[in-house]
């Protein structure tokens, strides 16, 4: 299937699926053969008419994809064998309550592999960067046909400054959350030197999000154990109250990062920048914190730098506005991350033991918007913020109110992702360019902020 970005916009809108049961579909017990597991509550939310929620993943490839048949064969042997990728959500009206369920269907791979028509004349890799960026952004405005499984691969065989070709995966959010899909896609790959082996990955969290410590012997240790429960309860209560306050009256400061009402459905521009993971780790080691703590600090520094410049462009005074409130909803995986071996077995043998789907909670994170003389103060603040959030059940509590939270916050003018692989880390942003027209400048602020913080961390290490 081929089509230009403009042609993709002209695809037919979703059509209604006939879900009535025929006589041939009835089994001896009176149930239907296709009746599968219900779509999760979060997955059903993403199917509401007001949402057009997809996950888009971009893969840089070392060589062009000249053998599309090999790609189809590989997907048929892996991804298509997963129940979610060979089913469609249908409305089961047979009972007293309407339930959205997954129904297995035949997968026609030609419907899911898209090779767009792009300029045939060779252009420079730098200009191709913009071409790929525009193409991927066009996907944010199109929907997928719900009469077939809700996923697709786009193959873009043009060289960019970072890769020889690009593959773009787009899947409906009801297929799973980001962690599930990344794990599943990696489980569909094999090592280049040994096609029989799965890729080697760092250890992942195999247990629940929050585990209460066991009490140690002694009255003092027992009292500290009781106190940890009190602190956990208090922090969770405060976080829930802040959510309620946000619902009623607590609003963020009007800044260039805040979008207008209704922009959730506007076109998104996907931009990214590569940074060195070693730079992040050097700050982590110097500060005695975690990678996530460093990233919170870098984000605070970059947003402060961006907003300070915007403020100086529009105001006469150079003084930075105080008490600027900029908050973000941080998505948290609240179930053990499925290992790629478990997911590979699920696809190869039809097992369903691996936990998969949409089980995400939310944390509301306020980024300090301030200009620090010492760049390491951003990391110190980030460490304190992360430590406070780790000692709260906010993510678990918000999971049960996901529908309310998504409707309250939605997808705003700026969505930020950090994705690490090998020794690199990608800073990826989805922005509404009618609100943030200089997204590449904002990426520069992230790179510069990390550079300044790393330099300060190196000086601190030499002193110690």
């Amino acid at each position: 299937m081929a089509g230009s970005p403009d042609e993709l916009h002209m695809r037919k809108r979703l059509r209604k699926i006939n879900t009535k049961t025929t006589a041939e579909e009835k089994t001896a017990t009176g149930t239907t053969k296709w009746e599968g597991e219900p779509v999760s509550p979060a997955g059903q939310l993403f199917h509401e008419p007001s949402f057009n929620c997809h996950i888009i993943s971009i893969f840089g490839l070392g060589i062009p994809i000249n053998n599309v048949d090999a790609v189809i064969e590989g997907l048929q042997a892996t991804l298509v064998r997963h129940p979610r990728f060979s089913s469609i959500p249908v409305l089961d009206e047979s009972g007293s309550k309407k339930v959205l369920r997954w129904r297995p269907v035949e997968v026609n791979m030609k419907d899911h592999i898209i090779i767009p028509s792009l300029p045939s004349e060779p252009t420079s890799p730098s200009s191709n960067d913009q071409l790929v960026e525009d193409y991927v952004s066009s996907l944010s405005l199109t929907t997928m046909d719900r009469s077939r499984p809700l996923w697709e691969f786009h193959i873009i065989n043009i060289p960019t400054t970072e890769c020889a070709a690009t593959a773009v995966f787009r899947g409906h959010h009801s297929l799973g959350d980001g962690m599930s899909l990344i794990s599943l896609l990696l489980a569909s790959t094999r090592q280049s030197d040994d096609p029989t082996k799965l890729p080697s990955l760092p250890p992942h969290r195999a247990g629940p999000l929050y585990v209460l410590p066991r009490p140690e012997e002694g009255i003092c240790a027992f009292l500290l154990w009781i106190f940890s429960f009190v602190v956990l309860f208090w922090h969770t209560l405060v976080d829930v109250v802040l959510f309620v306050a946000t619902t009623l009256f607590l609003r963020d400061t009007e800044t260039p990062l805040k979008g207008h009402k209704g922009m959730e459905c506007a076109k998104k521009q996907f931009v990214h920048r590569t940074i060195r993971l070693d730079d992040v780790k050097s700050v982590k080691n110097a500060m005695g914190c975690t990678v996530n703590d460093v990233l919170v600090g870098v984000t605070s520094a970059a947003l402060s730098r961006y907003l300070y410049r915007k403020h100086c462009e529009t105001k006469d005074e150079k003084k930075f506005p105080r008490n600027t409130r900029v908050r973000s909803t941080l998505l948290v995986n609240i179930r053990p991350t499925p290992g790629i071996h478990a997911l590979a077995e699920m696809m190869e043998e039809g097992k369903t033991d691996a936990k998969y789907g949409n089980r995400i909670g939310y944390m509301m994170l306020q980024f300090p918007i301030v200009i620090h003389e010492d760049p390491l103060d951003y990391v110190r603040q980030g460490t304190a913020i992360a430590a406070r959030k780790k000692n709260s059940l906010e993510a678990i509590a918000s999971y049960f109110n996901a529908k309310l939270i998504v409707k309250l916050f939605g997808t705003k003018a700026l969505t930020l992702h950090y994705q690490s692989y090998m020794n690199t880390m990608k800073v990826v942003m989805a922005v509404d360019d009618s609100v943030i027209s200089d997204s590449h400048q904002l990426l520069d602020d992230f790179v510069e902020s990390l550079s300044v913080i790393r330099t300060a961390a190196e000086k601190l290490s030499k002193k110690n």
Side-chain angles (χ1 to χ4, degrees), residues 1 19 98 103 163 167 193 210 224-225 248 274 438 441 454:
M1 179 178 180
T19 62
K98 297 180 180 179
R103 177 180 184 178
C163 56
D193 57 346
Y210 188 88
L224 287 174
W225 183 66
L248 299 176
T274 303
D438 52 351
Q441 179 60 60
R454 178 183 57 81

Side-chain angles (χ1 to χ4, degrees), residues 126-167:
S126 58
S127 61
N128 286 345
D129 285 346
Q130 187 63 48
L131 185 63
V132 172
E133 186 178 296
D134 291 340
Y135 179 83
V136 176
S137 298
S138 72
L139 299 179
S140 67
L141 287 180
T142 61
T143 56
M144 288 185 283
D145 189 343
R146 296 196 189 189
S147 66
R148 55 195 184 212
L150 300 175
W151 62 273
E152 56 194 23
F153 268 97
H154 300 251
I155 299 175
I156 309 174
N157 271 331
I158 59 174
T160 64
T161 55
E162 291 191 333
C163 56
T166 304

Side-chain angles (χ1 to χ4, degrees), residues 58-63 160 162-167 426:
I58 306 172
F59 300 87
L61 306 175
I63 57 175
T160 64
E162 291 191 333
C163 56
T166 304
K426 282 284 187 180

